[in-house]
Amino acid sequence: MTAEDDLIHFGIPEITDDDVAAVARVLRSGWLTTGSECAGLEAELSDYLGGSEVIAMSSGTAALDTALAYLDLPRGARVGVPDWTFVATALAAVHNGLRPVLLDVDAATLNLSPEALAAEIDDLDAVLPVHFGGVPVDAEIHQLAADAGVPVVEDAAHALGARDDRGLVGGPGTSPNCFSFYASKNLTSGEGGALATDDEDLAAFARSYRLHGMDADAWARYHPGAKSGYDVVRPGIKANLPDVLAVLARSQFARFEQSQRRRRQIGLRYRAALADAPVTFIPDVIPDGSADHLAIVALRPGVDRDAVQATMSAQRITTSVHFRPLHHFSWFRSDADVGRSGLGTCDDLADRALSLPLHVNLTDVDVDRVAACLSECLR
Ligand SMILES: Cc1ncc(COP(=O)(O)O)c(C=O)c1O
């Protein structure tokens, strides 16, 4: 026990003794980079997702980069991106020579607004919706893109385990989905990610693109009896997931469903505990298919969010903000386009959204303490 014991951290991963033992086993195995553990993780995720091909990557950003590279769009092609997302979503388009078009979001979910997309779809070459906080995007988004013949890459960084009327996000029949296994995500390898797709050509592209465009990885080349040569079939990137990280994700995945259930309980407990507080949860009611990645409240207009965060921090509770709208950053202000319907919802919520601690290490007592502290701050 340490002096940190009463600290309720915004987000810390649950690392069990089994996780530590699994990583130690790989460290001692003599094979640290991409090999059998990575292949095992891909197979387990593929099985979970109902048969989609899964290509593990060094990050969710790399998975987005790869899915966009496969589209082979001309330089300057316009990609619709929700303004309310982490910068990586839009920067993946930029890294591919594409121009982000920032679109407004729905206040109820902070997901890409169908109205904003409808106003712009005829002038877009691709769309990058984000399943924000693990809540799947509106079905209308997929319909609008399909009707316009515009390809979609789904940013599923928050959405492993999310489900909509197509089935699991990343399952067969969905567009390419890009998951993140960053330290704060529901499933983590520290850093990591994966692309899930039912398109065999994209899967083959991604397997070589993530490793310099080579047609064989080290595991395939250094196995006893394996052919040691390789060809370079495209100018790829370096974005493979090493076994020493893949094994952590595998170990965590063994208890994923249980962890997801606990996240849901926490989200519901917050809503009950703060039912009378002057805040609105986003979303107000958790949809069945949510992956429960974040617990976000909108503060009332005029409430000083910085002061709320500082007061809670003084009470040893850390909170966060997901996210600052992209157009509030200098680079995006000068180098991205804004969709025709403007960014009014993003501007309205920019200084009001507050993310409460949500991770499986939280006890019910912790959740109640966070809720009581927030209520007190807003009194
Ligand atoms: C919405 C969103 N997209 C993309 C990413 C990028 O994922 P990674 O950090 O694994 O590259 C993140 C990571 O936080 C994210 O929150």
Side-chain angles (χ1 to χ4, degrees):
M1 305 293 260
T2 69
E4 295 284 282
D5 277 347
D6 69 337
L7 176 68
I8 300 182
H9 202 284
F10 165 73
I12 36 171
E14 182 194 43
I15 301 295
T16 64
D17 289 348
D18 284 351
D19 295 343
V20 173
V23 173
R25 177 173 52 72
V26 171
L27 285 172
R28 293 194 183 101
S29 73
W31 190 273
L32 304 185
T33 188
T34 304
S36 62
E37 291 297 339
C38 181
L41 174 66
E42 292 176 339
E44 283 161 12
L45 290 173
S46 170
D47 202 36
Y48 174 71
L49 294 173
S52 291
E53 295 226 35
V54 174
I55 302 91
M57 302 259 173
S58 56
S59 67
T61 308
L64 289 164
D65 273 358
T66 303
L68 287 166
Y70 178 72
L71 293 180
D72 201 19
L73 296 170
R75 264 200 106 64
R78 303 177 85 239
V79 182
V81 179
D83 190 43
W84 198 286
T85 185
F86 184 54
V87 295
T89 316
L91 291 181
V94 176
H95 297 155
N96 277 283
L98 312 175
R99 183 147 182 103
V101 181
L102 307 179
L103 301 174
D104 210 2
V105 296
D106 184 338
T109 56
L110 296 173
N111 272 337
L112 183 55
S113 142
E115 291 73 34
L117 182 62
E120 203 65 31
I121 190 81
D122 290 340
D123 291 320
L124 293 179
D125 300 294
V127 190
L128 260 177
V130 178
H131 303 291
F132 177 75
V135 175
V137 296
D138 199 308
E140 226 184 308
I141 297 293
H142 306 297
Q143 196 57 53
L144 282 164
D147 291 349
V150 172
V152 175
V153 170
E154 301 178 32
D155 182 334
H158 301 175
L160 185 65
R163 188 182 281 278
D164 58 22
D165 54 11
R166 304 169 304 167
L168 273 174
V169 165
T174 62
S175 313
N177 266 282
C178 303
F179 297 104
S180 167
F181 306 143
Y182 176 67
S184 62
K185 299 299 191 275
N186 295 17
L187 180 79
T188 185
S189 52
E191 296 281 357
L195 173 62
T197 179
D198 61 6
D199 177 340
E200 284 178 20
D201 286 342
L202 167 56
F205 173 92
R207 282 188 200 290
S208 91
Y209 194 75
R210 72 174 167 183
L211 201 62
H212 309 295
M214 289 155 66
D215 65 355
D217 64 18
W219 183 246
R221 287 182 286 127
Y222 296 142
H223 238 54
K227 207 165 80 108
S228 65
Y230 60 85
D231 191 14
V232 175
V233 294
R234 53 181 59 86
I237 57 177
K238 178 68 164 74
N240 54 308
L241 183 70
D243 272 14
V244 70
L245 300 184
V247 73
L248 176 58
R250 274 188 98 176
S251 180
Q252 299 221 332
F253 191 57
R255 58 179 189 278
F256 183 65
E257 299 283 6
Q258 185 190 326
S259 304
Q260 289 297 98
R261 277 196 295 279
R262 179 62 190 146
R263 297 181 84 93
R264 175 62 56 90
Q265 284 169 358
I266 293 169
L268 293 172
R269 195 171 181 95
Y270 273 137
R271 280 165 176 76
L274 288 162
D276 297 327
V279 293
T280 308
F281 275 89
I282 304 178
D284 196 13
V285 176
I286 304 175
D288 275 351
S290 173
D292 302 284
H293 178 55
L294 296 171
I296 296 195
V297 291
L299 306 175
R300 295 277 184 268
V303 172
D304 181 343
R305 182 178 61 192
D306 289 346
V308 170
Q309 289 193 276
T311 310
M312 291 183 77
S313 180
Q315 299 293 317
R316 303 192 53 72
I317 296 170
T318 62
T319 54
S320 188
V321 171
H322 295 83
F323 292 102
R324 274 178 73 192
L326 296 183
H327 78 286
H328 287 203
F329 293 107
S330 351
W331 188 84
F332 287 97
R333 265 202 303 279
S334 57
D335 283 74
D337 292 342
V338 173
R340 288 183 177 81
S341 59
L343 300 169
T345 303
C346 291
D347 279 331
D348 175 39
L349 288 166
D351 297 328
R352 295 168 48 206
L354 178 70
S355 303
L356 305 178
L358 176 54
H359 51 86
V360 300
N361 300 300
L362 293 176
T363 63
D364 285 353
V365 172
D366 293 334
V367 174
D368 294 346
R369 200 179 121 207
V370 174
C373 182
L374 177 60
S375 298
E376 188 58 36
C377 287
L378 299 174
R379 189 157 294 158

